[in-house]
Each structure stands twice: as C-alpha cells, then as structure tokens.
Amino acid sequence: MRPRQRGKFITFEGLDGVGKSTQLGKLAEHLRRRGIDVITTREPGGTTLGDKLRAVLLHSRTAGLSPLAELALMFADRAQHIDEQILPALAKGQWVLCDRFTDSSEAYQGGGRELGSKTVLQLHELLCHGLQPDLTVLMVSDLAANIARARRRNTQQSKRSETDENRFEKENRAFHRRVFDAFLAIAEREPQRVVKVNAKQPIAKVHKKIVKSVEDRLCQGNKK
Ligand code: TYD
C-alpha cells in the first residue's frame, strides 16, 4: 500500500478586519469541491484549551498582561493546537487551513509589542516541531480602513453576544503600524512561502487570486 501523502498546511495572516476568515472559508469550499479533505481552524483557539486561552488573551477586561506573558500564552495555545489538531490532521492527509499562526506572533508580539522577531522565532523553534506553513496568504489592505472595519465589527459583535474580543483592536495606531510593517517584512524575507494579496479588491477577485496561488504552488499531483 502506498503511504498516505501528508496534507498541506495553509495559513492566513493580516491585520484584524482584513477579511481573512471570509477568504479562508471560500478557499475551504473550493478545495472540498475539488475532492480535497480540508479542516479549518484558528489561533488563538482551535482546541478546548485554546478557546480558554483565547478568552483571556482577547477580552478587553484582561488588564496588565505583560508582553512576554502574552507571547507565552500565544505559544501555549499554538503548541497544544499543533499537537492536538494540526499534525494529526496533516498525517491523515487532510489539508489544514488556519486563521493565523506564528507570523501573527512575530507581527503582534514581535512588532506591535516590540519584543523583536528573534525571541518569537526562538520560541517557534523550541515549541513547534519545526512546523512551517506550505503557503501563507498575507492579506494586505490599508491601515486606517482595517482598523475602522475591525472596530465596527467588534462593536456589533459585542452588542449581539457576550463575546468581547477587543483587546488588540483597542491598541493605538502606532501599534497597528508596527504590526503592519512586521507582516510586510516577513513577506519580504520569505517570498517562497508568503503570498501577498491585495485585500482592497472585491471578495470574488481576492478569492480568485488566492485559488491561483494555491493551485500554482501546491496542487501539482492533486489535480482531479
Ligand atoms: P483573530 O481572531 O484572527 O482576529 P480578527 O478576526 O479580528 O483578525 O485574532 C485575534 C487577535 O489575536 C488578533 O488581534 C491578533 C492577535 N494575535 C496575536 O497578537 N498573536 C498571535 O500569535 C495570534 C495568533 C493572534
């Protein structure tokens, strides 16, 4: 019997409110239509422990969390997620589409909180079994539009439910600028892994571009 082929690992990155989850969902549908077994997940979250950590990390009432403690919790979430969800799924041949991964830690904690990339990448090395995405879709829009959209969305969400995930949205513009710049620096450093997508375009056009990148880079041998 032929050994089962490992699945592909695709991550979506970008500032809050850039439309990652919509595009992730559309790509999952597209791949399923092509007969590929896909799971979708997110960080922080994706496991029972991860959901608890997500509530602590994102709730705007979480006060006084030190940048290093924040980084450690992001990696606690990730280590659990990798062991419990991502690696077992990839081993079964499933494709894993993940909303955020280590690039978010590098951008938000490394850039936004000014802990630097080196610390983040060292933790990745130590805790993540060398796992790297096969492809990362970095969705880029302009900073002001992003912040406005994320704030609007979260205000609407908090009115409708008990969920409050506003802690990062409440950061100032300089913080978001550092996050934005850090994402762009990652894309410059690793062009073979990270594809930049202009998120200002209509949803259908962005989707088409993402599908093309995935097919060009990952689908040889998976063509139906
Ligand atoms: P997410 O649910 O993707 O928010 P949105 O849908 O608004 O993009 O991510 C939650 C927040 O967590 C987001 O503000 C970024 C932050 N975050 C980090 O700061 N570091 C990390 O390593 C991860 C995974 C997320």
Side-chain angles (χ1 to χ4, degrees):
M1 218 168 63
R2 264 203 317 163
R4 196 177 286 150
Q5 213 186 7
R6 181 184 175 275
K8 303 288 185 196
F9 181 37
I10 304 177
T11 58
F12 281 70
E13 298 284 0
L15 285 177
D16 305 83
V18 79
K20 286 178 287 96
S21 43
T22 304
Q23 291 298 338
L24 187 152
K26 286 180 79 64
L27 179 64
E29 272 171 35
H30 171 87
L31 294 172
R32 285 183 185 126
R33 277 198 302 272
R34 279 172 110 276
I36 295 173
D37 189 2
V38 176
I39 67 160
T40 63
T41 185
R42 67 175 178 182
E43 290 188 357
T47 63
T48 308
L49 172 71
D51 284 337
K52 290 184 181 158
L53 293 173
R54 181 178 177 94
V56 172
L57 281 161
L58 303 192
H59 203 288
S60 59
R61 273 209 303 268
T62 298
L65 191 60
S66 86
L68 281 170
E70 183 178 278
L71 178 65
L73 289 174
M74 292 293 179
F75 269 98
D77 166 70
R78 183 162 301 127
Q80 183 70 29
H81 192 207
I82 289 173
D83 284 352
E84 190 179 319
Q85 289 278 351
I86 302 177
L87 289 181
L90 293 174
K92 278 193 273 177
Q94 292 178 306
W95 286 35
V96 177
L97 307 193
C98 187
D99 194 339
R100 300 193 182 281
F101 191 60
T102 296
D103 295 329
S104 278
S105 298
E106 193 177 343
Y108 284 80
Q109 283 67 51
R113 303 280 187 230
E114 301 182 276
L115 293 174
S117 290
K118 198 169 157 211
T119 307
V120 177
L121 296 179
Q122 281 173 338
L123 281 174
H124 182 87
E125 179 79 25
L126 200 65
L127 300 170
C128 299
H129 306 291
L131 177 67
Q132 292 295 345
D134 296 294
L135 178 72
T136 295
V137 176
L138 173 61
M139 295 188 53
V140 182
S141 175
D142 52 75
L143 197 55
N146 260 167
I147 298 174
R149 185 171 164 222
R151 289 206 172 128
R152 248 192 339 268
R153 194 190 49 181
N154 280 323
T155 317
Q156 281 159 5
Q157 262 171 13
S158 349
K159 273 190 198 140
R160 277 200 307 271
S161 68
E162 295 298 297
T163 333
D164 167 341
E165 298 196 333
N166 287 332
R167 203 167 65 86
F168 286 96
E169 275 87 353
K170 288 194 163 145
E171 289 296 334
N172 63 26
R173 202 186 154 81
F175 175 88
H176 291 284
R177 161 59 63 191
R178 289 195 296 276
V179 174
F180 188 71
D181 289 345
F183 272 132
L184 294 182
I186 295 169
E188 285 274 303
R189 185 183 70 207
E190 295 180 55
Q192 67 295 355
R193 169 174 71 85
V194 183
V195 57
K196 263 195 303 184
V197 176
N198 176 2
K200 280 182 284 187
Q201 295 174 318
I203 290 176
K205 208 162 171 199
V206 175
H207 173 61
K208 233 170 137 180
K209 159 87 184 169
I210 293 173
V211 166
K212 182 155 180 4
S213 303
V214 170
E215 306 226 328
D216 288 352
R217 294 174 187 228
L218 303 183
C219 284
Q220 294 83 10
N222 278 294
K223 292 223 156 65
K224 265 187 139 184

